[in-house]
Amino acid sequence: MSVLTPALREQLQSISTATLATALYKRGLRQQFIQRAAPLRRLERSMVGEAFTLRYIPAREDLNPIEVFRDPNHAQRKAVETCPAGAVLVIDSRGDARAASAGAILATRLQERGVAGIVTDGGFRDADEISQLRMPAFHQRPSAPTNLTLHQAIDINVPIGCGDAPVFPGDVVVGDNDGAIVIPAHLVAEITAEAVEMTAFEDFVIESVREGKTIIGLYPATAEQTKVDFAAWRKVKGR
């Protein structure tokens, strides 16, 4: 059963990965941010979706000729055709960008199937074309060689590591212009509720700093007047 309701998705689209990282850290979760995966283009709203995973291992050459792509059950091809609409395809490319995790044709197919985004700790070929898609895409750097040269697609929708982050199928992935982060499925509602509150306070702090106020007593809110001012600000802003 999906943990990502339409309301939670909408809220998470306006919450930064930085705020989510802090909320997760408070619960002792320090490795949820996907390292070395940046968006190919600037995003106006955060990418949000449940993780559907693809795992690569080092290629064994006798099992990984180009002919394997003819197999409809090839793990990479199957992932592209079965990743659910609204989900994020998360790829464990072993942190190796020397060969591509996917290219523009597969990324376009994901977009047209309604997938919310794609994230790899490796690279994409056709990166310029992928950057022009509506669907957000995150990777380490461009990579022209086919994945077959170094990586062997081995399994889909299993627990993986992507950019040093543990990713379980059904976890919620949020990506913004800083990168992508993974929220464990059982914590999504709790983390989102806290992050909404944190975001409101952070917006208040930014406005206060722009008005010339010191951060002492303001951030964190150790001064009683800060709490009074924040309550008044929320009332005015309807937040």
Side-chain angles (χ1 to χ4, degrees):
M1 182 177 176
S2 173
V3 298
L4 188 59
T5 65
L8 286 173
R9 185 187 292 270
E10 185 174 356
Q11 288 176 315
L12 285 168
Q13 285 176 330
S14 300
I15 296 172
S16 73
T17 56
T19 297
L20 293 170
T22 299
L24 289 162
Y25 173 69
K26 290 178 181 178
R27 290 158 178 80
L29 296 169
R30 305 181 181 188
Q31 300 187 80
Q32 300 305 117
F33 193 83
I34 297 176
Q35 302 295 326
R36 302 176 299 281
L40 272 71
R41 62 171 172 82
R42 180 167 180 78
L43 305 179
E44 297 301 321
R45 300 194 80 189
S46 292
M47 171 193 73
V48 179
E50 290 175 305
F52 186 91
T53 64
L54 169 62
R55 181 170 70 95
Y56 286 110
I57 63 171
R60 206 180 87 181
E61 290 82 355
D62 63 325
L63 297 177
N64 219 41
I66 199 164
E67 288 77 17
V68 299
F69 283 154
R70 294 179 180 273
D71 181 1
N73 290 314
H74 181 268
Q76 185 202 50
R77 267 44 185 176
K78 194 170 182 179
V80 169
E81 292 296 335
T82 59
C83 181
V88 174
L89 179 59
V90 185
I91 304 174
D92 174 2
S93 281
R94 307 181 298 116
D96 188 349
R98 293 177 298 160
S101 303
I105 292 173
L106 300 189
T108 300
R109 175 60 176 156
L110 288 167
Q111 173 183 271
E112 297 311 311
R113 292 190 58 252
V115 171
I118 181 171
V119 180
T120 179
D121 59 3
F124 293 128
R125 64 196 306 179
D126 314 319
D128 185 60
E129 291 177 65
I130 294 173
S131 72
Q132 297 174 51
L133 296 177
R134 300 184 307 277
M135 179 187 71
F138 294 71
H139 78 156
Q140 187 179 154
R141 64 178 176 82
S143 181
T146 173
N147 64 298
L148 295 174
T149 59
L150 290 172
H151 309 312
Q152 183 170 336
I154 202 71
D155 212 349
I156 65 171
N157 223 28
V158 295
I160 62 169
C162 182
D164 302 328
V167 187
F168 289 79
D171 286 349
V172 172
V173 183
V174 180
D176 63 10
N177 293 304
D178 282 346
I181 197 164
V182 183
I183 308 172
H186 70 285
L187 290 175
V188 170
E190 179 183 326
I191 290 290
T192 302
E194 180 172 336
V196 166
E197 294 299 304
M198 290 173 64
T199 299
F201 180 67
E202 288 164 359
D203 289 348
F204 160 73
V205 169
I206 285 288
E207 286 192 21
S208 299
V209 169
R210 286 173 177 164
E211 292 168 358
K213 294 182 180 178
T214 177
I215 62 167
I216 306 302
L218 173 66
Y219 187 71
T222 55
E224 194 61 37
Q225 187 60 44
T226 295
K227 299 171 186 178
V228 172
D229 292 344
F230 178 46
W233 180 90
R234 294 195 80 164
K235 188 174 182 179
V236 169
K237 300 289 185 178
R239 297 179 63 182

